[in-house]
Amino acid sequence: MIDVRRFAFATGLPTFPIRIYWDNSKHGGKGGWNKTPLKGTRGHKDAQWPEFIDRLDWSGANGFGIPMGQKTGLYMLDADDYKNGGAADLWMSERNLPSTRTHKTVSGGRHIIYALPARFKTLRSRSDIVPGIDSRGEGGWAAFGPGHEVIDNRMPVILPSEVCRELDDGHSEAKHLIDAREYTPPSNLSDIDLKLARMLKVQPALARRWAGDSSGLVSGRSSLDLAVAQILSMVGLGFDEIVWLLMHRFEYGQARHLAVGGERAARRCAQRAIDAREQERATARAILKRQQTPMTEEQRIKMRALVRGAL
């Protein structure tokens, strides 16, 4: 019999004992695999680092769980449908997700394990990101035991921040990492459309992104929303105008297509873009204030325009 405790110790991570077994009552009598913490334990809440692993009772365990989220800094994509051309495969390929540590599961799926960027350590789990793929983050855990197999043993690589933001934006219970202001639908919709039409003629970068060009971006639709929001904020559009355009006019973005959370995603993109622009203006003000070397009149005009938000 496999010494589960020894394998858990070897991970170097907090672990806890679990039982993996076939349950004939699952899926309407068709049966399915169950992975549950041992009775009398609190599962991932009882997870111990290797030096304290003997505090747990491993008798009866044939597998172990590893907490995701803040305790380990890990995040797992649980892909049941990983066939080429499947929804899960398409979602991952669109975001150019890097190869990382991967386990084959007892049910034939894959656990794809990433490290979390520091500011996303509490990123929550998501169910049904697209058909065939869920995730496990803060409050969730990954199982390993009978029927599981390591198929890529590299160290977990960092999950791109843009993907973290996308996963967080679509989560109804997420701890918002950006506090976006309240949104009030603008009343001058025809004026906004006219302003957009003019900008598309004179702003090549905006026209390119508006046409769906995502080259150079980390991931798909959410990155396009943010890129468009940043350019719109640079040309003087306000928060409500940007949110409305992302939700009702930008066909290649994410916010317009989310069944749930579209307004929240648009608000947060607009807020991030405006905050970044304000930071640029603050930097420009500081440079003007401490400028010792005389500027040319052209440089001074351009710098003042940036401070005013005219550029």
Side-chain angles (χ1 to χ4, degrees):
M1 185 175 178
I2 297 175
D3 185 349
V4 174
R5 187 180 62 83
R6 181 170 63 84
F7 276 94
F9 182 92
T11 67
L13 295 168
T15 56
F16 58 96
I18 66 171
R19 187 76 185 165
I20 302 173
Y21 61 95
W22 182 262
D23 184 351
N24 286 319
S25 66
K26 291 189 71 173
H27 306 306
K30 294 181 180 179
W33 290 99
N34 257 341
K35 294 160 282 188
T36 61
L38 297 187
K39 289 183 178 179
T41 71
R42 299 182 304 159
H44 68 278
K45 295 180 180 179
D46 285 339
Q48 298 290 330
W49 288 92
E51 57 266 37
F52 305 115
I53 202 170
D54 287 333
R55 293 177 178 176
L56 303 173
D57 182 3
W58 289 82
S59 58
N62 67 348
F64 58 87
I66 303 172
M68 299 290 105
Q70 192 167 16
K71 195 162 191 175
T72 58
L74 299 176
Y75 195 82
M76 182 187 80
L77 297 178
D78 185 0
D80 293 327
D81 174 15
Y82 201 71
K83 298 176 182 177
N84 290 334
D89 179 60
L90 181 62
W91 185 86
M92 288 185 281
S93 63
E94 283 181 342
R95 285 148 186 81
N96 297 317
L97 289 181
S99 298
T100 187
R101 187 175 185 87
T102 305
H103 300 168
K104 180 182 177 182
T105 72
V106 66
S107 55
R110 298 194 183 194
H111 287 171
I112 305 160
I113 303 171
Y114 287 94
L116 284 167
R119 68 185 299 262
F120 289 98
K121 284 293 195 286
T122 58
L123 185 63
R124 295 288 300 273
S125 303
R126 280 278 305 274
S127 296
D128 200 24
I129 298 169
V130 294
I133 187 168
D134 303 321
S135 71
R136 298 292 182 270
E138 183 68 16
W141 52 277
F144 196 88
H148 289 73
E149 176 188 353
V150 178
I151 55 178
D152 189 330
N153 66 357
R154 75 185 74 198
M155 293 294 291
V157 302
I158 295 176
L159 186 65
S161 292
E162 290 299 327
V163 178
C164 293
R165 291 189 188 98
E166 178 182 353
L167 291 167
D168 183 64
D169 283 340
H171 198 302
S172 61
E173 297 179 8
K175 295 181 180 178
H176 299 309
L177 303 176
I178 299 172
D179 294 324
R181 68 186 72 172
E182 291 299 316
Y183 165 65
T184 302
S187 56
N188 58 331
L189 303 184
S190 59
D191 291 343
I192 297 174
D193 280 334
L194 287 173
K195 191 183 298 185
L196 173 65
R198 288 196 299 270
M199 292 304 168
L200 288 173
K201 290 179 180 179
V202 299
Q203 293 287 339
L206 177 61
R208 183 164 58 89
R209 296 303 187 196
W210 197 263
D213 184 350
S214 61
S215 58
L217 302 180
V218 174
S219 60
R221 286 180 170 179
S222 63
S223 289
L224 271 172
D225 273 344
L226 181 57
V228 166
Q230 288 172 332
I231 300 171
L232 292 175
S233 71
M234 290 173 65
V235 297
L237 270 71
F239 176 83
D240 293 334
E241 294 172 314
I242 294 172
V243 173
W244 186 82
L245 286 170
L246 292 179
M247 289 175 57
H248 300 285
R249 289 292 186 266
F250 185 40
E251 64 178 294
Y252 295 101
Q254 171 184 262
R256 184 177 178 182
H257 296 274
L258 284 175
V260 177
E263 179 184 316
R264 182 170 60 249
R267 286 170 53 212
R268 293 179 66 183
C269 279
Q271 189 68 60
R272 288 182 61 212
I274 288 173
D275 287 350
R277 192 61 176 163
E278 286 303 317
Q279 183 60 47
E280 287 183 7
R281 291 173 185 166
T283 301
R285 292 188 191 100
I287 292 173
L288 277 176
K289 188 174 181 179
R290 67 173 182 264
Q291 182 68 37
Q292 300 298 320
T293 304
M295 286 183 170
T296 65
E297 186 60 24
E298 182 181 357
Q299 289 173 325
R300 192 170 293 280
I301 290 171
K302 185 174 181 180
M303 187 67 73
R304 284 174 173 166
L306 176 61
V307 171
R308 293 196 309 272
L311 289 181

